[in-house]
Amino acid sequence: MSKDTFTIIDNRTGKSYEIPVEYSTIRARDLRQIKVHPDEFGTMSYDPGFDNTASCKSRITFIDGEKGILRYRGYPIEQLAEKSTFLEVAYLLIFGELPTKQQLAEWEYKIMHHTFLHENMTELFHAFRYDAHPMGMMISALAFMSTLHKEASRIEDPDVRLKQIYRILGKLPTVAAFCYRHRIGRPFNYPNADMGYTENFLYMLDYMHQTKYEVNPVLAKALDVLFILHADHEQNASTSVMRSIGSAYADPYSAMAGAAAALFGPRHGGANEAVVKMLTEIGDVKNVPAYIERVKKGEFRLMGFGHRVYKNYDPRAKIIKRIAYEVFEVTGMNPLIDIAVELERVALEDEYFISRKLYPNVDFYSGIIYQAMRFPPDMFTVLFTLGRAPGWLAQWVELVTDPEQKIARPRQIYLGYDYRDYVPIEQRG
Ligand code: SDX
């Protein structure tokens, strides 16, 4: 009968060690017993970017990168995108089960009745320059919310956690809309709880006191599906930050501000904005081959391509590509789509991309849709933030309720000076 262990032989000493294996994983801590001298610290694992390190045990999202599979609490993303709604998916991610009709109605009511911002917060937006990046405003607004809701620091109280979850999911669309309206110098539209989640968001963005105003249902639905597709993605960079700040028992607003800051990076959620800039720079389908050659020379990366986990087509990109054409029926075709489709075609036939298993990811087509919906590129990552909020919150709840979790505090391999005495300034140089 084989044992669930590894036997490690340290060739430096000839000693052998039996290390337990669970879920095809070893506990890094079990390596510490491997030493040459008993007074040593012991053996660590080294994993820059945490490419092969599990930070937690989770039951929220499953990804199979080789097969291009994404499931939330076991449900395939394709079915949720087709049959569910964003608020229902948010409930699923946070509570672990699809809601009953009554649970969903109460959940939607609670969230849609936590959409107003404190007037002090409304004043916050007026402090920003007209050209402040909306993600900078979003990150600031999240941190500002922690100053308003002081009870949020009681993160071990489930009722307190739930109240903050209502507030964050309810208020983030209002924050995003106020960011946009501040940027374009228009008065704020206050939320309307009689509308649906994405319908209310589009209303707050767009309403200019027309006598007869209706949100286009095709656009509201498309945005709802896009939010579903962005809702969670296991231990990505921004979720890792959410968990890391959460592990210090900071309040969820402060943790969300940190997570949003990570998402802002062009290698992460900022890629959708970078994709549109890239496609605009390419300018025409005939320029695609030359651009691909520059990528292959290493001049820059193909934004919206590649993924740490997916070594196959990102299942979200497939769905988003389909939604794009549904949106174009309403908004008119975005000419960048032709460049994107040609870029994808050429790249997927090229050995450089094939050998590195580089495929379109969630950001490759999403920016094209947002642009067609008349969102400015610097609002794209704000939209990603709205979509990812329930995922960050679900992961945060799982963290604070996991008895195995401790404060995140990685080790290092120290390669600096061993010891040296202070040098007076007169003797330097
Ligand atoms: C998101 O983690 C998540 O789940 C993220 C996300 C989520 O939902 O939270 O899915 C959202 O962030 C999607 C990714 C958006 N970012 C981009 O589209 C930016 C462009 N992509 C890359 O920068 C890159 O692909 C990453 C950052 C996404 C992944 O980088 P990895 O896993 O660290 O890969 P790597 O840097 O080790 O690259 C492996 C090879 C390298 O070539 P070699 O040095 O071996 O010759 O592939 C090359 C890289 O140069 N490569 C690319 C490339 N991405 C990787 N070459 C050209 N274009 C690219 N986009």
Side-chain angles (χ1 to χ4, degrees), residues 388-401:
R388 186 51 54 88
W392 287 336
L393 290 165
Q395 299 275 351
W396 169 70
V397 170
E398 189 173 67
L399 167 100
V400 293
T401 56

Side-chain angles (χ1 to χ4, degrees), residues 322-389:
R322 191 189 74 241
I323 295 171
Y325 291 97
E326 293 169 11
V327 168
F328 296 158
E329 288 290 315
V330 173
T331 62
M333 181 64 80
N334 182 340
L336 293 184
I337 188 89
D338 296 331
I339 301 173
V341 169
E342 177 63 7
L343 201 57
E344 175 187 339
R345 184 190 68 77
V346 173
L348 294 189
E349 292 172 357
D350 188 295
E351 186 49 33
Y352 176 93
F353 297 88
I354 294 168
S355 62
R356 291 169 176 81
K357 297 184 177 181
L358 301 176
Y359 292 87
N361 59 49
V362 67
D363 291 305
F364 191 62
Y365 286 105
S366 57
I368 295 169
I369 299 179
Y370 295 145
Q371 189 183 51
M373 294 173 75
R374 303 293 183 275
F375 285 103
D378 60 13
M379 276 292 289
F380 295 176
T381 310
V382 169
L383 300 174
F384 198 146
T385 302
L386 297 189
R388 186 51 54 88

Side-chain angles (χ1 to χ4, degrees), residues 51 63 229-230 232-239 263 266-269 271 275 295 300-311 314 316 352-353 356 358 361-363 384 388:
D51 187 32
I63 300 174
L229 297 173
H230 286 80
D232 193 52
H233 214 238
E234 58 139 279
Q235 305 311 315
N236 58 83
S238 52
T239 296
L263 189 71
R267 280 186 158 187
H268 190 9
V275 166
V295 170
F300 35 65
R301 290 190 167 188
L302 194 55
M303 301 314 281
F305 255 71
H307 200 278
R308 173 61 59 76
V309 176
Y310 289 124
K311 300 307 172 189
D314 184 332
R316 301 168 295 178
Y352 176 93
F353 297 88
R356 291 169 176 81
L358 301 176
N361 59 49
V362 67
D363 291 305
F384 198 146
R388 186 51 54 88

Side-chain angles (χ1 to χ4, degrees), residues 152-173:
S153 60
R154 295 191 352 249
I155 56 104
E156 292 175 276
D157 181 331
D159 294 334
V160 169
R161 288 201 299 267
L162 185 54
K163 177 77 173 185
Q164 311 325 308
I165 289 172
Y166 291 145
R167 284 172 168 156
I168 289 169
L169 294 179
K171 296 175 193 296
L172 276 195

Side-chain angles (χ1 to χ4, degrees), residues 64-76:
D64 181 321
E66 291 301 326
K67 296 176 186 156
I69 289 172
L70 170 58
R71 297 181 192 136
Y72 294 158
R73 299 286 188 179
Y75 295 98

